[in-house]
Structure formats: structure tokens, C-alpha cells
Amino acid sequence: MAKIQTNASGTRSIEVSEQHLATIEQYQLLRDLIDSNGYIDEPVLEKLKLNIRALLESEAGRDKALLDLCLDVIYHPNMKALGLQNLTKLFLEWKESQRPTSNTQHPENGVSAD
């Protein structure tokens, strides 16, 4: 469980679980979300909410993990643009930690992954 800061003064935060991050990855919710200017602002947060609303209205929206992500993180009253920016950073760090290292050995044959 990790906490993301959602306001500049640091008085508000949201807890994000590994399951939340896995759901973001499963539905690729952050893919192509940010415009070419690279800024995460309130319209980007609204775009994410609209994308998720469309998923929830479709057949895929019957997924409890997606509903939990919405209730716990995306539609949380404290979620603002800064929170989404920090969620994106946390997701990228988590994604990087999920990659196998290139120096790991395969136990069945003793060969490295490179």
C-alpha cells in the first residue's frame, strides 16, 4: 500500500494498493491520457473519469477491481490533478519494479535472461 499526495500543501492523500495499480495496467487507463504538452491538469483528470465511465457502462465494467479503483482512488473526493500526476509516477515506478532484471538466472536451465 502506498500513499499519494493529492494537494500542494501535503495535507491530503489517497492510499493506493498494488491491486489498484494492476487494474490501471490491465485496462491501460493511463495510456495516451496525457496530451503532447505533458501536463496533467484538471481536464486530463476529467478525461480519465470519462474513459472509466465508458468502461463501467460496457460489459467490462462488471469487474470489481475496476469499481474498487474508482471508489478508492479515481473518484475519491481528494483526487485532483496533482494526485493524478503522483498516481502516474507511482504507477511508472511500480511498473518498472515489475520487470524482471536482465541478470536473473532461469532456474530450470541456469541461463541468464539477456
Side-chain angles (χ1 to χ4, degrees), residues 22-70:
T23 303
I24 291 170
E25 180 179 34
Q26 176 185 352
Y27 288 98
Q28 300 180 0
L29 296 175
L30 300 178
R31 175 170 278 172
D32 299 327
L33 184 66
I34 302 166
D35 296 330
S36 61
N37 63 15
Y39 292 113
I40 297 177
D41 51 11
E42 293 301 321
V44 173
L45 179 58
E46 289 304 312
K47 181 178 174 183
L48 174 61
K49 288 179 178 182
L50 289 173
N51 289 346
I52 290 176
R53 186 175 300 154
L55 280 173
L56 289 171
E57 291 174 355
S58 72
E59 190 66 32
R62 305 209 194 297
D63 183 10
K64 183 182 177 335
L66 183 60
L67 289 171
D68 288 344
L69 174 67
C70 288

Side-chain angles (χ1 to χ4, degrees), residues 96 99-106 111-114:
E96 186 66 30
R99 291 185 184 172
T101 59
S102 60
N103 294 331
T104 57
Q105 297 269 331
H106 291 286
V111 177
S112 69
D114 340 40

